[in-house]
Amino acid sequence: MRTKHWHVDNSVDVLDTYPQIEEAAELLKQDEVVAFPTETVYGLGGNALSDQAAAKIFAAKGRPADNPLIVHIASKQQVADIAANISQTAERLMEAFWPGPLTVILEKQPNRLSQLVTAGLETVAVRMPDHPVALAVIHKCGLPIAAPSANRSGKPSPTSARHVQDDLDGVIAGIIDGGDTGVGVESTVVDCTGSIPVILRPGGITKEDIEAVVGEAAIDAALTDMNQQPKSPGMKYKHYAPEAPVYLLNGSRSWVQSRINEQRQEGKKVGLLTTEENLSFYEADVILPCGRRDDLRTVAHSLYEVLRAFNETDVDIIYSETFPTDGVGLAIMNRLEKAAAHRWLHEKRK
Ligand code: TXA
Ligand code: MG
């Protein structure tokens, strides 16, 4: 398949009249799949009402069939078409955070969505993205759009059109390039089917943000305890991994440097994921800064770009700094833990 490439300038607010948007929307109506930017990561969109379109998404990504997709909408009125029995809590969260990086799990409307999209579950994940290109495409085609991250399964999610192209060129109908994404990690997924909302996947909207609106929120136990079975099917898979093994390091700068030296003495090329503040303190074969520790949003923004960038180097092993898990730090550490398959090295304290 020849993949179409479109470029749009997302600062213009006449997106509806872009012929590129029209063309992409037309392909979506024909059950083709198209990648577009959102404020979190690039999504691979397809008609959520069509088995044929959903099957194309799973095939292009190499995604396991038991991992359901998020359905994207462009207006709040669309929620009632796909979800039922929406709770007060869910209403308040949608009101507070949409459009934005919050996905809510709701009871689904029977017989509307493709069964493939919901992986046979009775619930549906719904999100209204805060990105002019995503909103214009969804609005133009008038359909609920299933859109997982536009990467091959297991790779870091794409934060630029270039990443999408690296993974999916030749297997999807089109890619809309609308520049780099903002948040950089996927949306926060919140189960709103119970009495209090439960965070199944941490993201740009934090537990603290949610509690400020609805008073109380919980975190799925599987996010902090590896022995628990996650409630969100996708969370059990290894994800976000570069090719070289990643290790999470917890210790002083001098201890980190000696770990690096040890590996290099054994003839290994060592990559280091660090931050602007620490950049000048280290010596390794490849050192990549990933944002600033004093603003964890900058770390989230650059994380996938940096993990992907290591694949363009010849490092044998990647060491990574670690971060506190409050605020957006929880989302960062969740993704890093997966990239590292939970491999940690701790400095022994005297
Ligand atoms: O930021 C995002 O959410 C991006 C952009 C493209 O919008 N999309 C995204 O989709 O990350 P995906 O498919 O890569 O992740 C969907 C997550 C998975 O962890 C999946 O298991 C969970 O949402 N999910 C979907 N439907 C669910 C449901 N009914 N119950 C529980 N979890 C669900
Ligand atoms: Mg994904």
Side-chain angles (χ1 to χ4, degrees):
M1 172 181 282
R2 230 192 108 253
T3 302
K4 292 203 163 154
H5 294 262
W6 303 283
H7 192 274
V8 298
D9 174 359
N10 64 40
S11 64
V12 188
D13 59 28
V14 290
L15 277 170
D16 264 5
T17 62
Y18 258 106
Q20 295 94 315
I21 301 278
E22 301 248 1
E23 210 181 328
E26 209 41 57
L27 286 168
L28 288 168
K29 284 200 244 176
Q30 294 161 17
D31 292 344
E32 291 297 336
V33 296
V34 168
F36 54 80
T38 80
E39 81 282 29
T40 57
V41 301
Y42 272 72
L44 179 60
N47 178 0
L49 307 178
S50 155
D51 285 340
Q52 208 195 340
K56 285 181 187 168
I57 294 176
F58 281 94
K61 284 184 57 89
R63 180 170 173 119
D66 68 349
N67 190 3
L69 310 176
I70 295 174
V71 179
H72 294 60
I73 55 177
S75 75
K76 286 186 191 128
Q77 287 84 314
Q78 273 180 292
V79 183
D81 292 342
I82 53 180
N85 296 325
I86 300 160
S87 67
Q88 276 279 313
T89 309
E91 294 277 6
R92 283 163 69 195
L93 290 175
M94 293 186 283
E95 195 53 45
F97 298 114
W98 280 6
L102 181 85
T103 296
V104 292
I105 307 291
L106 303 168
E107 208 177 295
K108 74 174 179 191
Q109 281 287 357
N111 312 320
R112 281 286 289 155
L113 297 158
S114 159
Q115 288 279 354
L116 300 175
V117 167
T118 54
L121 298 174
E122 293 311 309
T123 52
V124 58
V126 191
R127 138 166 161 82
M128 180 164 145
D130 186 15
H131 194 290
V133 175
L135 290 171
V137 174
I138 300 166
H139 176 73
K140 199 89 227 169
C141 71
L143 292 164
I145 294 296
S149 49
N151 51 289
R152 284 285 298 172
S153 246
K155 294 275 248 45
S157 295
T159 54
S160 72
R162 178 41 228 296
H163 298 158
V164 181
Q165 202 177 324
D166 288 347
D167 281 15
L168 298 175
D169 206 28
V171 295
I172 60 175
I175 302 172
I176 309 177
D177 183 346
D180 289 355
T181 60
V183 181
V185 293
E186 303 84 346
S187 62
T188 306
V189 176
V190 183
D191 183 351
C192 294
T193 60
S195 52
I196 64 163
V198 183
I199 297 174
L200 304 184
R201 178 176 75 180
I205 289 178
T206 65
K207 179 170 188 272
E208 294 82 348
D209 294 334
I210 292 169
E211 284 176 334
V213 174
V214 294
E216 194 187 356
I219 294 181
D220 183 16
L223 291 180
T224 46
D225 177 357
M226 278 173 55
N227 299 317
Q228 302 262 346
Q229 177 76 7
K231 289 216 186 55
S232 182
M235 296 301 283
K236 68 175 179 280
Y237 294 105
K238 182 180 161 213
H239 260 98
Y240 320 113
E243 277 136 32
V246 179
Y247 288 82
L248 305 178
L249 268 58
N250 173 24
S252 62
R253 284 187 196 128
S254 60
W255 174 81
V256 170
Q257 187 61 55
S258 13
R259 298 288 71 71
I260 296 170
N261 298 347
E262 233 169 51
Q263 291 295 322
R264 296 177 91 190
Q265 272 151 24
E266 287 175 20
K268 295 222 176 96
K269 291 218 161 117
V270 182
L272 179 71
L273 185 156
T274 183
T275 41
E276 299 288 350
E277 288 93 333
N278 291 335
L279 196 52
S280 61
F281 292 95
Y282 292 119
E283 223 180 289
D285 297 285
V286 176
I287 303 183
L288 298 179
C290 183
R292 296 189 316 276
R293 297 193 78 81
D294 69 1
D295 180 2
L296 290 184
R297 295 201 174 264
T298 63
V299 177
H301 173 83
S302 302
L303 185 62
Y304 290 145
E305 166 79 41
V306 170
L307 289 175
R308 277 183 182 255
F310 278 116
N311 284 344
E312 270 143 49
T313 72
D314 60 352
V315 297
D316 302 302
I317 185 167
I318 300 164
Y319 282 160
S320 174
E321 274 182 34
T322 51
F323 301 90
T325 54
D326 30 51
V328 77
L330 185 67
I332 295 166
M333 285 312 298
N334 171 262
R335 305 318 191 267
L336 272 176
E337 286 259 17
K338 287 181 173 229
H342 306 283
R343 284 179 293 245
W344 279 86
L345 300 176
H346 294 277
E347 180 175 17
K348 288 198 180 62
R349 307 272 175 194
K350 286 173 215 95

